[in-house]
Amino acid sequence: MPRSVSLSFELLQTFVSLIHHQGEAAAVMRELELEQPTLSKRLKYLQHAGPLLDRPWLVREGKTWKLTAEGLKVWPAVEELVDRYRNLHAFVEEGGKPAGAAPVHFACGQAMAAGLVRHALLEFREEHPDARLRISTLRGRARIEGVSNGSLDLAIVTHDEPTIIEIARRPLHIEPLVDYGLCLVCAAGSRWESKVRSLPRAGAAPKAFCSFPLILPEPDAGIRKGLDEVLRSSGLLNQLDIALEVGGWATILAYVRDGFGVGLVSEGALDDPSGLTVRPLDRTTFPPISAKLICRRLAGSGDGLDLSEEAMTWRRFLGR
């Protein structure tokens, strides 16, 4: 009966060592004291799709091994897993004292980091000054992959639920956090201010986008794709005067304040609207951005969450 293949620590250790040594197999053999046949057998499982991996993690280019796109996705989680195992092994072998709980790993976008997350962190630190919390700003897809592969405990994303599940390749806990409408904004005193002021306060229609030079998110951003779809269905997409396509609400607002055009931003990015003229978009035509908090579920536990006590506490502060 053939022996089943598992994603063992030895296999993960070999993977991490190979990347740390810039893909040089000889260096891995020296570090791990492996013979060539043993290393080749391990790498075979990581190089090809088969009983262990649906998508390979490594590709060989000449004499050097490199990460595939799939390898890049799992790399942070695998490296951390191997590091934690080594720390545990050292603790058991040396009888040392525990280093303390692992930090809570959390990620969000730039606007959230400057707004909701910053305010939550101020309150969290006041009540839990010794808690270990590591916050990163990552692109939305990387946040979902990080929660799925274990390199992140929690993240805030704005993708819809089907897209989250598709990217994660597994069910995740998804809870609504906050909704932010979209708005058009220009610098007070700019030559477009009168046109922006003339837009209805109840919500501007798609035709408004044809009235001035626009500063928009990048073409591959989820918000931009949704905007393009609305304008395409309205027959307006080819009538736009796009001045800038840049990433991050803060960057868009910086160019707006410099007078380069009228920007599309989230209401959540307007912590300081001084010096700006703002008009919301119609929420029926342009659905609000729905921010969601995601984390892993405990296997076989129904609604149980795979979070430490500190992570659960951070989750509660984010939801206040």
Side-chain angles (χ1 to χ4, degrees), residues 24-306:
E24 294 184 11
V28 176
M29 287 191 290
R30 288 193 297 270
E31 179 190 357
L32 302 183
E33 299 181 350
L34 299 176
E35 298 293 333
Q36 177 67 52
T38 302
L39 178 63
S40 297
K41 184 177 180 179
R42 292 183 185 181
L43 294 181
K44 178 185 69 174
Y45 292 123
L46 302 174
Q47 184 186 15
H48 303 289
L52 186 62
L53 302 176
D54 291 332
R55 299 176 177 88
W57 292 359
L58 294 170
V59 62
R60 187 172 182 177
E61 296 182 2
K63 294 184 178 180
T64 304
W65 294 84
K66 296 184 178 181
L67 292 169
T68 62
E70 186 72 7
L72 282 168
K73 292 177 184 178
V74 302
W75 166 250
V78 175
E79 184 182 35
E80 182 173 355
L81 184 63
V82 170
D83 187 54
R84 287 186 179 185
Y85 179 90
R86 286 171 174 163
N87 290 338
L88 174 63
H89 186 267
F91 168 70
V92 172
E93 289 292 315
E94 299 172 14
K97 296 182 179 180
V104 177
H105 293 261
F106 168 80
C108 61
Q110 294 179 13
M112 277 290 176
L116 183 148
V117 172
R118 177 171 170 264
H119 298 312
L121 182 60
L122 288 170
E123 296 181 1
F124 179 78
R125 283 293 183 217
E126 185 175 347
E127 295 187 26
H128 304 276
D130 298 324
R132 301 180 64 197
L133 177 63
R134 182 184 300 174
I135 298 177
S136 306
T137 55
L138 303 171
R139 294 299 294 264
R141 187 181 188 92
R143 284 174 249 156
I144 297 171
E145 292 171 345
V147 169
S148 180
N149 67 31
S151 58
L152 294 173
D153 296 300
L154 304 112
I156 294 177
V157 298
T158 57
H159 298 67
D160 59 42
E161 188 165 337
T163 302
I164 293 173
I165 300 303
E166 179 184 353
I167 294 173
R169 300 186 211 156
R170 61 185 291 187
L172 295 177
H173 172 78
I174 304 170
E175 60 184 87
L177 199 59
V178 64
D179 288 344
Y180 291 122
L182 293 170
C183 55
L184 290 171
V185 56
C186 73
S190 68
R191 52 180 162 156
W192 306 287
E193 184 180 15
S194 60
K195 286 187 177 182
V196 174
R197 283 190 180 277
S198 70
L199 297 175
R201 291 182 178 274
K207 187 67 177 176
F209 283 85
C210 302
S211 303
F212 14 66
L214 297 167
I215 305 173
L216 300 177
E218 304 146 300
D220 64 343
I223 298 299
R224 175 64 183 280
K225 290 179 181 178
L227 171 69
D228 287 354
E229 185 58 36
V230 170
L231 296 176
R232 184 180 294 108
S233 63
S234 302
L236 302 172
L237 188 61
N238 294 327
Q239 300 180 36
L240 304 183
D241 176 12
I242 300 176
L244 288 161
E245 298 171 306
V246 292
W249 300 129
T251 305
I252 292 176
L253 285 172
Y255 279 110
V256 166
R257 291 183 184 277
D258 288 339
F260 285 102
V262 176
L264 172 71
V265 299
S266 159
E267 292 173 346
L270 293 172
D271 270 1
D272 178 17
S274 60
L276 300 172
T277 297
V278 182
R279 286 295 181 271
L281 297 183
D282 176 61
R283 286 193 169 217
T284 303
T285 308
F286 301 96
I289 301 170
S290 178
K292 306 168 187 70
L293 188 64
I294 62 173
C295 64
R296 292 178 302 282
R297 296 174 180 166
L298 282 172
S301 67
D303 295 331
L305 304 183
D306 184 15

